[in-house]
Amino acid sequence: MAALAATRAVTLGGIPDITTGATAATVSGDTAPVGERLFLLAINSGASSRTITIATPGTVHGHPVADATLVVAAGKTGLIPLTAIFRGTAGRAAITYDAVTSLSVRVLELGA
C-alpha cells in the first residue's frame, strides 16, 4: 500500500491543472489523508471501467456504513470527496481497486 499525499491543484491561466502529479494506483491499494477539502482523483486511461472502493470503517448510531465506490468509465476521470467518514484507525482512508492497469490517482486539496 502506498501512502498518497495531498497536493494543491495549481491554476494555470485560470484553469486548474488537476491531473499533473497523479501516480499509478497500487495493486495492494493505497491510503490517503481525509479532510474537508480533500478529494481522490482517479484517471482511467484504459479501455475498461475501474471500480474504486473506499472503506467506511465507522458506524452511525451503531449501524455499519457501506463502503463507498466510484466507478470510472474507460477514458474518463472521477472525483470523490475524502471526508472524515473514511478515517480508519491509522487516521487515513483505505482505498482499493478492482484493477490498476491504466489507472492513476491523486489526492487533491481544493478550495481556499
Side-chain angles (χ1 to χ4, degrees):
M1 260 190 185
L4 302 173
T7 56
R8 294 201 71 149
V10 176
T11 301
L12 303 171
I15 300 171
D17 179 9
I18 62 172
T19 59
T20 299
T23 60
T26 306
V27 171
S28 59
D30 294 312
T31 65
V34 296
E36 282 185 30
R37 297 186 323 242
L38 299 181
F39 295 81
L40 178 69
L41 173 75
I43 305 161
N44 180 7
S45 57
S48 300
S49 66
R50 296 287 177 252
T51 300
I52 299 157
T53 302
I54 305 174
T56 309
T59 60
V60 174
H61 303 292
H63 300 284
V65 179
D67 293 343
T69 58
L70 172 66
V71 177
V72 183
K76 299 295 183 179
T77 300
L79 191 68
I80 187 169
L82 293 170
T83 61
I85 197 162
F86 301 122
R87 181 172 286 124
T89 56
R92 297 175 64 84
I95 305 162
T96 55
Y97 314 99
D98 69 333
V100 296
T101 303
S102 302
L103 182 65
S104 298
V105 292
R106 178 180 179 192
V107 177
L108 290 170
E109 182 180 357
L110 300 176

